[in-house]
Amino acid sequence: MLVNMKSVLEYAGQKQCCIGAFDTPNLEILMAVLNAAEKRKEPVIIQHAQLHEPEMPIHVIGPIMVRMAQEADVPVCVMLDHGEDLDYVKKALDLGFSAVMFDGSSRPYEENVRLTRETVRLAGQYGASVEAEIGVVTGHEGKVFEVTSVEEAYTDPELAADFVKATGIDALAASVGTVHGFYATKPKLDFGRIETIREMTGVPLVMHGGSGISVEDTQHAIRCGIRKINYFSYMSNAGVKGVQKLLAEKEVKYFHDLANAAIRAMEEDVLQAMAMFALE
Ligand SMILES: [Zn+2]
């Protein structure tokens, strides 16, 4: 069933665990994520990032995401990831998305507040939830991006508290030491900062760049207050490896055999991620 982000994060809050949010810019990833969620009988968030528009337009995949969420046996939130402008946010809401993230983190603070408030007002008309971000989680989903220093981009807890109060958002993406994409150096999470931001803002926190963080660090972050983790790169890469393995084993004539191998491999990766997010 289709649900908004607020209800999914309430579930995570009650269980003191975390919900996985997976970008699904093609049908194979979408099927892999929903198969995994149904196998685990757990809520899940499926997302379309605005930067994936060249790979997959939202007007094509969006209605499929909403339909599959409605038909799923588990609660599924359909969310816009990293909305960069209000026109695109409105497009997602008009397609039936139940949550949107507005990312004004690279804009001046006052402008980020103004546009995030506008997003909250707009989403409210649709009964949709809102996530926004301050502090910059560098890198990009789906792009290989090498990052050597993320320290200057950490979210300031006091500013985070002001931002949540001024905007009325349901969840805050905080920069606490992760990056998007693949890591060039070992990630260094600031657990104390997660706790401080959680206490000072009072909203569920979101960690972007969930790939490549150890199980131990991921679960430590969840215990400190992370309730949603955006996870994409390793899942997508698992699909590539699944295809490579099949091609090494035998000659493949039909594309659907490659697609199915990718789905199986990504489903396996999502199952592992979901178990980690459930603190298993
Ligand atoms: Zn992100």
Side-chain angles (χ1 to χ4, degrees):
M1 79 211 76
L2 178 66
V3 298
N4 65 20
M5 179 182 68
K6 215 175 162 188
S7 73
V8 168
L9 295 186
E10 274 166 14
Y11 169 93
Q14 281 158 13
K15 293 207 120 192
Q16 301 277 296
C17 71
C18 166
I19 297 296
F22 305 89
D23 281 2
T24 56
N26 54 58
L27 202 49
E28 287 74 23
I29 298 195
L30 186 52
M31 290 169 77
V33 173
L34 292 178
N35 287 350
E38 291 195 329
K39 272 190 184 162
R40 285 189 57 87
K41 299 185 171 50
E42 277 176 7
V44 72
I45 300 171
I46 53 175
Q47 304 189 129
H48 188 69
Q50 186 167 351
L51 66 82
H52 284 148
E53 187 69 21
E55 279 92 48
M56 174 59 77
I58 194 170
H59 75 269
V60 176
I61 196 78
I64 300 171
M65 291 166 72
V66 171
R67 172 83 181 263
M68 286 176 77
Q70 286 165 340
E71 290 178 356
D73 292 334
V74 292
V76 180
C77 169
V78 180
M79 181 157 190
L80 170 64
D81 190 22
H82 292 283
E84 294 158 23
D85 60 81
L86 294 181
D87 285 346
Y88 202 85
V89 166
K90 186 165 186 314
K91 198 187 273 186
L93 292 166
D94 283 337
L95 287 168
F97 279 41
S98 56
V100 289
M101 180 210 184
F102 176 74
D103 181 0
S105 61
S106 59
R107 297 172 188 263
Y109 179 74
E110 294 303 330
E111 193 182 333
N112 188 7
V113 169
R114 184 174 61 76
L115 292 171
T116 302
R117 277 174 74 129
E118 188 56 29
T119 301
V120 170
R121 191 192 63 76
L122 189 64
Q125 295 170 4
Y126 296 78
S129 328
V130 177
E131 172 189 335
E133 174 172 337
I134 58 165
V136 179
V137 181
T138 46
H140 283 292
E141 288 90 348
K143 308 271 187 294
V144 176
F145 196 91
E146 297 206 344
V147 175
T148 47
S149 169
V150 290
E151 268 142 49
E152 67 274 19
Y154 282 144
T155 299
D156 173 352
E158 276 187 32
L159 202 61
D162 276 354
F163 183 73
V164 169
K165 214 168 147 196
T167 57
I169 52 173
D170 301 292
L172 177 74
S175 174
V176 292
T178 58
V179 299
H180 290 114
F182 295 91
Y183 286 86
T185 54
K186 200 169 176 290
K188 196 167 167 289
L189 268 63
D190 188 339
F191 299 107
R193 189 179 297 262
I194 298 172
E195 284 183 328
T196 309
I197 297 172
R198 188 202 57 188
E199 279 160 21
M200 290 183 70
T201 62
V203 292
L205 300 183
V206 184
M207 192 164 84
H208 286 235
S211 292
I213 312 285
S214 68
V215 175
E216 195 189 0
D217 279 1
T218 300
Q219 296 189 334
H220 188 173
I222 295 167
R223 289 193 183 92
C224 290
I226 297 291
R227 293 287 167 259
K228 170 178 181 265
I229 293 183
N230 285 20
Y231 180 91
F232 173 72
S233 297
Y234 274 34
M235 163 184 69
S236 181
N237 196 245
V240 174
K241 286 179 178 152
V243 167
Q244 284 169 334
K245 187 165 170 280
L246 184 69
L247 288 172
E249 281 166 9
K250 61 178 182 184
E251 193 194 347
V252 177
K253 285 215 162 56
Y254 292 102
F255 173 73
H256 62 243
D257 290 328
L258 294 183
N260 288 336
I263 292 172
R264 280 194 299 276
M266 291 191 289
E267 184 184 320
E268 201 48 51
D269 191 72
V270 174
L271 282 170
Q272 279 179 25
M274 288 183 82
M276 174 166 73
F277 299 156
L279 299 180
E280 284 166 18

